[in-house]
Amino acid sequence: MKQRAIFAGGCFWCMVHPFDEQPGIYSVVSGYTGGYVENPTYEQVVTKTTGHTEAVEIIFDPEIISYKDLVELYWQQTDPTDAFGQFQDRGDNYRPVIYYLNEEQKEIAEKSRQALENSGRFNKPIVTQIEPAQTFYPAEMYHQDFYKKNPENFARNHAKRAAFIKENWGE
């Protein structure tokens, strides 16, 4: 039975690739969630007036990859100590959030966040929010699979994130 996960971690272009490569993932869709404007466009979201974050919706097979595994992979893609955006992307629309769809996901995310906090890996507090999922709006088609369609632009946008990941998580 397929399940859903929704994560916000800065630019959605950079959040697709690591999940897209995992076994048990059916799809990773770039989009917007957490705000109060229905059917927002990219142009609206980047004005920082819709309340939405750029996020990814992951459809996965929990028999192959667990939600816990997805959360662990999520931490390794973001700076969980930066509440005001991610890397070069600044503002509420880029804030890190794990959106849970049920109490089990909430519990897994909260335990995982506490374990990361307790690990001492970061010398600043873990500030990633864990919030109930709201309507997820898929982004425009030109944002989907961006890393495949525009590899040079993706590499430029991903450079700071890649350096952070290497420094904090290794290869």
Side-chain angles (χ1 to χ4, degrees):
M1 187 165 96
K2 294 178 183 175
Q3 291 187 13
R4 292 172 62 216
I6 301 173
F7 301 128
C11 173
F12 48 34
W13 295 344
C14 296
M15 292 296 293
V16 172
H17 184 247
F19 294 101
D20 209 24
E21 295 184 319
Q22 301 302 310
I25 302 293
Y26 293 108
S27 66
V28 184
V29 175
S30 295
Y32 318 106
T33 193
Y36 43 83
V37 173
E38 287 188 30
N39 300 306
T41 64
Y42 180 74
E43 289 72 25
Q44 289 174 307
V45 173
V46 298
T47 66
K48 301 176 174 109
T49 59
T50 67
H52 287 289
T53 58
E54 287 192 15
V56 290
E57 177 189 59
I58 302 164
I59 306 299
F60 66 101
D61 182 341
E63 298 292 319
I64 299 172
I65 187 168
S66 69
Y67 182 76
K68 183 179 185 298
D69 291 337
L70 293 176
V71 170
E72 296 303 318
L73 181 58
Y74 168 82
W75 294 124
Q76 296 175 36
Q77 309 313 311
T78 65
D79 178 352
T81 69
D82 186 351
F84 302 106
Q86 292 288 285
F87 312 103
Q88 73 272 11
D89 300 310
R90 310 311 302 157
D92 281 352
N93 53 318
Y94 295 115
R95 67 192 178 93
V97 184
I98 296 173
Y99 292 99
Y100 61 88
L101 289 123
N102 55 46
E103 287 302 309
E104 181 185 13
Q105 285 187 355
K106 178 182 180 184
E107 184 177 316
I108 290 167
E110 287 177 343
K111 283 182 178 176
S112 181
R113 179 176 61 189
Q114 190 61 54
L116 182 59
E117 182 77 53
N118 294 344
S119 75
R121 181 178 290 273
F122 297 97
N123 57 12
K124 295 190 273 185
I126 304 303
V127 296
T128 300
Q129 296 298 302
I130 298 171
E131 300 178 1
Q134 297 181 41
T135 303
F136 180 86
Y137 299 97
E140 297 80 354
M141 284 308 297
Y142 69 93
H143 289 298
Q144 306 303 331
D145 294 320
F146 189 85
Y147 78 97
K148 293 178 187 175
K149 297 178 198 171
N150 298 286
E152 292 87 14
N153 195 352
F154 170 76
R156 276 192 306 279
N157 277 283
H158 191 258
K160 285 184 180 179
R161 183 184 301 258
F164 178 88
I165 292 167
K166 185 175 182 180
E167 178 183 331
N168 289 280
W169 298 95
E171 291 298 328

